[in-house]
Short mmCIF file of all heavy atoms in Angstrom, two decimals:
data_model
loop_
_atom_site.label_atom_id
_atom_site.label_comp_id
_atom_site.label_asym_id
_atom_site.label_seq_id
_atom_site.Cartn_x
_atom_site.Cartn_y
_atom_site.Cartn_z
N VAL A 43 43.52 68.03 52.99
CA VAL A 43 43.53 69.15 53.96
C VAL A 43 42.52 70.25 53.69
O VAL A 43 41.85 70.63 54.50
CB VAL A 43 45.02 69.71 54.05
CG1 VAL A 43 44.96 71.01 54.89
CG2 VAL A 43 45.94 68.69 54.58
N GLY A 46 38.53 68.49 52.19
CA GLY A 46 37.89 67.48 53.00
C GLY A 46 37.75 66.11 52.23
O GLY A 46 36.78 65.49 52.41
N LEU A 73 57.71 64.28 21.28
CA LEU A 73 57.29 65.58 20.67
C LEU A 73 58.38 66.60 20.53
O LEU A 73 58.50 67.32 19.55
CB LEU A 73 56.15 66.25 21.63
CG LEU A 73 54.77 65.59 21.65
CD1 LEU A 73 53.91 66.29 22.58
CD2 LEU A 73 54.20 65.70 20.16
#
Side-chain angles (χ1 to χ4, degrees):
V43 170
L73 286 176

